[in-house]
Structures are given as structure tokens and as C-alpha cells.
Amino acid sequence: MTSHVDQQVQAAIAAARNKRQQQRQQRAELDANRQAGVAARHRAKLKRIYCGQCARPQRRGTYQRCPLGCGTALCRKRASCGNSHLDQCPRRRGVPSIPGEDA
């Protein structure tokens, strides 16, 4: 037979165990919510579009894609962005050599 003191001690131990378990669950839920928030912010960041030349943020309808097909967004407002990008575009073909000219 157990005394009432032993019963109280066992009850206190069980209460502490339950409290720790609840704290673990709460931390796991908060961590899952934090991870979801981080992932959502990352997706939103990747959806933002910046000019490939001047790095200004672009809104819908204010940019054009590279005409050479590399997919870079370029400002429509500044013609210099498009012209400068074409010089360094990875899809740009090399300057053809003049036949008969030795380099």
C-alpha cells in the first residue's frame, strides 16, 4: 500500500511529464509555422522581378524580356538597360569574322 505522500509525489511527477510533453508539442508547432513562413517569404522573394541591368524592381507591364532569349527582365523605361544587356548577354553570338582577314 502506498501512502498519500507517495501518491502526491507520483502525481507531481506525472504533471511535470505532461507539461514537458505539451511544451515539446508547442515548440514543434511553432517551428513548423516558422519554417512555413520562411518558405513563403522565400517564394515571394523569388517571384519578385528585378531589371537584369540596373537591378531596379519591376512591376507587371514595366519590363520586357531579353530579345535574345536568355529570359532576363529589362526596364522598358530605360533603353540603356536593354542596349547594355545585349552587349553582355550569354546568348549573344560572337562577332563574325571578315572572310580573308587574318587575326
Side-chain angles (χ1 to χ4, degrees):
M1 189 151 49
T2 59
S3 69
H4 72 291
V5 175
D6 290 336
Q7 290 174 353
Q8 288 178 347
V9 169
Q10 292 300 322
I13 291 172
R17 190 176 299 134
N18 289 338
K19 183 178 178 181
R20 282 195 304 269
Q21 181 61 29
Q22 287 175 348
Q23 288 175 340
R24 281 189 200 112
Q25 286 178 337
Q26 187 178 19
R27 280 195 302 268
E29 290 171 4
L30 289 173
D31 187 50
N33 290 340
R34 186 183 66 79
Q35 289 295 332
V38 168
R41 286 190 295 278
H42 185 67
R43 283 192 306 273
K45 182 179 180 180
L46 292 178
K47 284 175 75 174
R48 291 186 204 123
I49 298 173
Y50 296 93
C51 177
Q53 192 62 33
C54 67
R56 290 183 179 170
Q58 301 298 308
R59 292 196 172 111
R60 175 187 262 177
T62 63
Y63 64 92
Q64 62 186 4
R65 295 290 181 182
C66 174
L68 299 179
C70 74
T72 303
L74 302 168
C75 292
R76 277 190 178 166
K77 291 181 180 178
R78 298 177 62 195
S80 63
C81 287
N83 293 336
S84 300
H85 173 75
L86 294 179
D87 293 338
Q88 65 188 11
C89 182
R91 286 280 188 95
R92 182 174 164 239
R93 292 183 215 102
V95 179
S97 60
I98 299 172
E101 182 181 285
D102 293 329

